[in-house]
Amino acid sequence: MSEQTPGSGHLVDGPHDPELDPRAAYVLERDYVASLTERLVASTGETDAVSSPVGGRPLAHVPQSSVADVDEAFARARKAQAAWAQTSIDVRAAALLRLHDILLDRQEELIDLIIWESGKARKDAYLEVAHLALTARYYARTAHQHLDTTRVAGMFPVLTRAEVNRVPKGVVGIISPWNYPLTMALCDGIPAVLAGNAVVAKPDAQTTLTALLAARLLEEAGVPREVWQVVAGPGPEVGGALVERADYICFTGSTGTGRLIAKGCAERLIGCSLELGGKNPMLVLRDADVQRAAEGAVRAVFANAGQLCVSMERLFVADQVYDRFVDAFVSRTQAMTLGASLDWSVDMGSLISQSQLDTVTAHVEDAVSKGARVLTGGKPRPDLGPFVFEPTILEGVTAEMKCFGNETFGPVVSLYRFHDENEAVERANDGLYGLNASVWTRDGTRGRALARRIKCGTVNVNEAYGATFGSLGAPMGGMRESGVGRRQGAEGILRYTETQSVGTQRLVPIAPMFGISEERHAKLMTSSLRLLNKLGRA
Ligand code: NAD
């Protein structure tokens, strides 16, 4: 009856739960699920049934929140935030350093749960843990650099003192998608709490349990439970309620929903950051190391079964290396192991849901019906898992096909040949998006120069996305319809603060004194401005 997992042993076939579904053998132990869902602010008595893409079996019935529950979550968060903001930066940073270690210590439990909810390959789930640990450590170690009050030059040296404070916004609403259940649940919240904010989080319905486990680990690390509230429910209703109540919104998801969120935030005059979709281009230049580029393309395109905002869906290859590159890329792709499984043997995991499978299948069928050629892949693989789709390489994709300019968000890439680099850059910049790009060349300087001409928030030279995504000091986000604002780096934390300038004037006012007339005062002021300019001050 019980199925041993590679991980913690927490997550084995649990007892049947007759109250929920008498026919089903639940994949997760009921007590384990309950210990997570009790963290939700959810009092409607309604639940949402969630199944696993690994085998399609039931995972849990997740309690649902009402708008009144969202009110309650905000009330608790506001109260907790006032006290949390009074703690020192060192106290908050220390909690994040503990979180770093807890994430690494508990990685098996986290990875298992991520896989049960998302169906991804174990290596992709591990990268979530690693990225989050890196995020916690980066912000903990740079907390003072970002958050300390800084002195700036006052209007008059000695007489005017000016400083800039970073004040927390208050309660931040975080709305996250399903594709990286752990990273997306927590990576944007880490800088928010470090800056002294509280959070109300609404994860995607498919991946609520991982988000709840993340919240539990945050509490174990020392962030008070009330500082991090989690609600669950339909996006428009519960996510919309966050937009109506938060002091700032951090949204990750589709461009269509991002547009709605932006309108809601504009209405309330609150800030938001929007991490949205992409149709990311990879350029293989004529001087690229073809074997390395082909190996890189496999990761660039098929990591997380293509359900990765920064993965590549358009591949532009120089004429001179096209045939060699395509041979190497196709053969490496065909050697990949596929499946929906908890063990390390899988190179590419499952798609997360029927709806993702439908979109991917529709894009490929549409392209093929309009004349595209399938070099490898092209089909669902129900024999390997309910939502597994083969890694697919297309040639001959044209503008009237769905997958030409629309995000597929699956393991499908279109190959294009180019003759001239200027033309390649122009085609890479075509379309509405501008999230991530990748350039392959033996000449790093040339690669970086080309990068400046590509309209994307991140560009990776001789890498797919990891060189920027893993460098936490480097901001990450989209240009054009791929987003507004940035996560990571200084921008990733300063978005959660209000900038407050405090000026202190000493000894003399910035006004005429000792009975001096306004005219005389203006002359004196002009002389001192000239003097300061000569001295190179202010
Ligand atoms: P989605 O927009 O459908 O949903 C994202 C989240 O928004 C979910 O939690 C959902 O419940 C909620 N939501 C839906 N409608 C809402 C509304 N009207 N008001 C408030 N909240 C609402 O996106 P998805 O399909 O879950 O995610 C896939 C998309 O996310 C892809 O386009 C992908 O490129 C993008 N993504 C971007 C990044 C990035 O960093 N740029 C990262 C991951 C995913």
Side-chain angles (χ1 to χ4, degrees):
M1 166 72 214
S2 86
E3 174 188 308
Q4 201 54 51
T5 73
S8 60
H10 267 297
L11 314 173
V12 295
D13 264 1
H16 292 211
D17 189 336
E19 284 168 27
L20 296 178
D21 184 345
R23 291 153 304 162
Y26 279 71
V27 176
L28 305 180
E29 284 174 353
R30 183 167 49 159
D31 289 351
Y32 182 74
V33 171
S35 75
L36 295 173
T37 54
E38 57 96 18
R39 304 184 80 85
L40 281 167
V41 189
S43 66
T44 59
E46 290 166 21
T47 58
D48 181 41
V50 182
S51 299
S52 174
V54 183
R57 286 179 294 163
L59 272 177
H61 279 64
V62 175
Q64 298 292 284
S65 310
S66 62
V67 171
D69 290 323
V70 177
D71 268 333
E72 172 64 20
F74 270 89
R76 290 183 198 174
R78 285 208 184 283
K79 195 161 166 228
Q81 191 267 331
W84 180 240
Q86 294 308 310
T87 59
S88 71
I89 291 175
D90 288 331
V91 163
R92 302 195 298 259
L96 294 189
L97 288 178
R98 282 192 295 275
L99 178 67
H100 174 275
D101 289 348
I102 291 172
L103 288 166
L104 297 182
D105 292 347
R106 301 274 285 278
Q107 59 179 282
E108 299 300 341
E109 180 185 359
L110 281 162
I111 291 172
D112 282 353
L113 189 52
I114 292 169
I115 298 173
W116 284 122
E117 283 198 319
S118 70
K120 66 175 63 187
R122 196 162 192 89
K123 66 183 171 62
D124 292 325
Y126 171 74
L127 286 180
E128 295 208 41
V129 174
H131 179 258
L132 209 50
L134 277 171
T135 305
R137 195 184 70 198
Y138 165 76
Y139 278 117
R141 295 248 191 262
T142 56
H144 283 285
Q145 176 192 320
H146 300 309
L147 297 175
D148 279 354
T149 294
T150 49
R151 287 280 288 271
V152 296
M155 183 175 176
F156 293 110
V158 184
L159 303 179
T160 317
R161 171 189 168 127
E163 55 198 18
V164 179
N165 293 329
R166 302 292 181 181
V167 182
K169 293 255 183 193
V171 181
V172 172
I174 296 184
I175 303 173
S176 55
W178 44 261
N179 64 329
Y180 275 71
L182 177 66
T183 312
M184 292 296 133
L186 211 52
C187 77
D188 290 304
I190 282 172
V193 293
L194 180 65
N197 297 281
V199 166
V200 176
K202 195 215 80 68
D204 188 86
Q206 176 67 31
T207 52
T208 311
L209 298 179
T210 306
L212 290 166
L213 177 55
R216 176 195 281 175
L217 300 190
L218 198 61
E219 184 185 358
E220 286 178 25
V223 176
R225 183 173 180 153
E226 301 289 286
V227 166
W228 190 279
Q229 303 288 325
V230 188
V231 290
E237 188 189 329
V238 176
L242 258 64
V243 175
E244 284 161 14
R245 287 158 181 77
D247 300 314
Y248 183 88
I249 289 285
C250 169
F251 171 78
T252 306
S254 61
T255 295
T257 309
R259 219 183 284 282
L260 294 175
I261 304 271
K263 280 186 191 149
C265 292
E267 196 62 46
R268 295 192 52 233
L269 293 178
I270 60 165
C272 60
S273 51
L274 308 168
E275 309 285 348
L276 309 176
K279 189 75 188 174
N280 305 310
M282 169 165 158
L283 279 65
V284 182
L285 307 188
R286 63 178 180 276
D287 68 343
D289 178 331
V290 168
Q291 293 305 323
R292 269 190 70 200
E295 190 265 320
V298 169
R299 271 181 294 119
V301 174
F302 303 121
N304 214 43
Q307 301 165 119
L308 168 59
C309 56
V310 288
S311 65
M312 301 294 151
E313 297 197 358
R314 298 181 297 149
L315 237 160
F316 300 93
V317 186
D319 245 348
Q320 293 87 340
V321 292
Y322 187 89
D323 294 333
R324 277 192 297 134
F325 173 84
V326 171
D327 284 351
F329 181 36
V330 168
S331 65
R332 281 170 194 270
T333 301
Q334 286 169 342
M336 291 173 77
T337 53
L338 317 180
S341 153
L342 286 146
D343 66 50
W344 288 97
S345 65
V346 168
D347 291 326
M348 194 188 91
S350 172
L351 296 171
I352 198 167
S353 61
Q354 185 65 46
S355 113
Q356 279 302 107
L357 183 67
D358 291 346
T359 307
V360 172
T361 309
H363 275 207
V364 173
E365 284 178 358
D366 169 74
V368 170
S369 74
K370 290 172 182 160
R373 294 175 299 285
V374 177
L375 300 191
T376 188
K379 298 186 304 295
R381 290 294 298 271
D383 52 318
L384 300 176
F387 312 131
V388 174
F389 195 92
E390 290 174 341
T392 300
I393 304 176
L394 301 176
E395 228 182 16
V397 169
T398 53
E400 63 278 9
M401 301 176 189
K402 282 180 187 158
C403 68
F404 180 83
N406 299 301
E407 186 183 44
T408 305
F409 218 51
V412 180
V413 69
S414 311
L415 289 179
Y416 306 95
R417 190 187 279 269
F418 72 81
H419 313 285
D420 156 314
E421 271 167 27
N422 291 325
E423 172 216 335
V425 170
E426 211 170 286
R427 287 163 72 188
N429 285 338
D430 199 20
L432 302 172
Y433 293 113
L435 190 58
N436 181 42
S438 170
V439 178
W440 293 75
T441 167
R442 282 197 168 85
D443 181 347
T445 309
R446 207 159 77 84
R448 286 188 292 278
L450 199 79
R452 295 181 70 87
R453 297 166 56 200
I454 297 177
K455 294 179 191 158
C456 285
T458 51
V459 183
N460 291 266
V461 178
N462 294 330
E463 233 303 314
Y465 49 81
T468 50
F469 207 32
S471 304
L472 273 296
M476 192 253 148
M479 296 186 187
R480 303 191 282 176
E481 295 198 8
S482 287
V484 174
R486 297 288 182 268
R487 59 165 58 106
Q488 302 194 169
E491 289 173 63
I493 186 164
L494 295 182
R495 61 185 158 156
Y496 299 124
T497 64
E498 292 286 4
T499 303
Q500 180 194 53
S501 299
V502 178
T504 311
Q505 187 64 17
R506 285 188 287 207
L507 303 175
V508 293
I510 305 176
M513 52 185 288
F514 311 126
I516 295 174
S517 70
E518 289 287 354
E519 187 182 359
R520 179 81 191 123
H521 174 72
K523 283 194 172 129
L524 279 173
M525 183 118 168
T526 301
S527 311
S528 35
L529 290 176
R530 284 191 204 287
L531 179 66
L532 287 172
N533 195 28
K534 279 210 177 82
L535 294 173
R537 299 285 305 272

